[in-house]
Amino acid sequence: MRKILVIALMLALASCARPPSQIRNACAIFEQRDGAFENWKRAARSTEREYGVPVHILMATIYTESSFRSRARPPRRYILGFIPWKRISTAYGYSQALDGTWERYQQETGRYLARRTNFGDAIRFIGWYHYQSSKRLGIPYNDAYKLYLAYHSGQLGYIRGAYRSRPEALAGARRFAAISAIYADQIRRCP
């Protein structure tokens, strides 16, 4: 009996390591991650209640930033084209939060044990960040395009309009708005 329990626990933990297989379907994502210890739908709904940011915006942020990969990182720079060097930023985890922004979140919320590789912690960070963007910048929660620009460029970068000269930010905002609309439609029909 003990061996069966250990094997079941190992399988459960191994299944959490891989991203969901159908990341363009919010209902399927929630069905794949509805465990007792890590329930993504419950974490998303809890964040929506805490910060007021709709679930489809929260999920679209993770889709656009990390494709639901818990240990996602930006690419490395290379010296002479082939020697690996530093990464282009400190972004990490589901939310792709930078070190400094994550530390600010931990200090302001008191969530010092939060990890960027934990879905519940990451989605709560995203809710907090979008809440801050709405409060500071006046961006409504249903304006997916602008929320993403503020997320990608940072709130000060958004104020300065830094995204205007960054085609990857504008393309990301369009992709974010599109998947956000798809997720919103799907979530309305989820069981």
Side-chain angles (χ1 to χ4, degrees), residues 60 64 143-146 148 171-182:
T64 307
D143 191 338
Y145 188 82
K146 288 182 181 175
Y148 183 76
R174 285 190 298 275
R175 194 168 55 251
F176 179 79
I179 195 66
S180 175
I182 290 168

Side-chain angles (χ1 to χ4, degrees), residues 23-79:
I23 63 172
R24 291 190 57 85
N25 185 323
C27 300
I29 292 169
F30 290 145
E31 285 174 18
Q32 292 174 68
R33 295 297 192 267
D34 69 348
F37 296 109
E38 190 169 29
N39 185 307
W40 288 13
K41 185 176 186 177
R42 189 173 29 216
R45 294 275 185 225
S46 173
T47 300
E48 181 181 46
R49 282 191 302 277
E50 185 175 357
Y51 291 109
V53 180
V55 169
H56 65 276
I57 295 287
L58 299 168
M59 296 296 284
T61 305
I62 294 177
Y63 172 89
T64 307
E65 289 296 298
S66 68
S67 298
F68 296 94
R69 292 175 295 128
S70 64
R71 299 188 185 283
R73 291 184 182 270
R76 289 189 178 278
R77 292 184 180 137
Y78 288 87
I79 299 173

Side-chain angles (χ1 to χ4, degrees), residues 23-170:
I23 63 172
R24 291 190 57 85
N25 185 323
C27 300
I29 292 169
F30 290 145
E31 285 174 18
Q32 292 174 68
R33 295 297 192 267
D34 69 348
F37 296 109
E38 190 169 29
N39 185 307
W40 288 13
K41 185 176 186 177
R42 189 173 29 216
R45 294 275 185 225
S46 173
T47 300
E48 181 181 46
R49 282 191 302 277
E50 185 175 357
Y51 291 109
V53 180
V55 169
H56 65 276
I57 295 287
L58 299 168
M59 296 296 284
T61 305
I62 294 177
Y63 172 89
T64 307
E65 289 296 298
S66 68
S67 298
F68 296 94
R69 292 175 295 128
S70 64
R71 299 188 185 283
R73 291 184 182 270
R76 289 189 178 278
R77 292 184 180 137
Y78 288 87
I79 299 173
L80 302 174
F82 66 94
I83 301 170
W85 193 243
K86 297 178 183 177
R87 296 190 184 275
I88 58 175
S89 80
T90 61
Y92 181 61
Y94 287 113
S95 62
Q96 289 294 283
L98 300 172
D99 288 352
T101 310
W102 186 260
E103 289 165 8
R104 191 178 109 220
Y105 163 73
Q106 288 177 312
Q107 290 171 355
E108 289 184 16
T109 63
R111 292 185 170 109
Y112 295 103
L113 299 177
R115 296 181 334 249
R116 292 178 275 186
T117 57
N118 177 284
F119 181 84
D121 293 338
I123 202 163
R124 191 169 279 118
F125 164 83
I126 291 166
W128 170 83
Y129 196 89
H130 286 322
Y131 171 80
Q132 298 294 323
S133 294
S134 180
K135 198 166 96 174
R136 286 183 73 189
L137 308 172
I139 302 171
Y141 292 138
N142 63 354
D143 191 338
Y145 188 82
K146 288 182 181 175
L147 277 175
Y148 183 76
L149 290 174
Y151 192 87
H152 185 273
S153 300
Q155 293 163 350
L156 293 176
Y158 180 84
I159 290 169
R160 289 193 311 265
Y163 56 87
R164 290 187 187 107
S165 62
R166 299 173 71 194
E168 76 279 0
L170 298 172

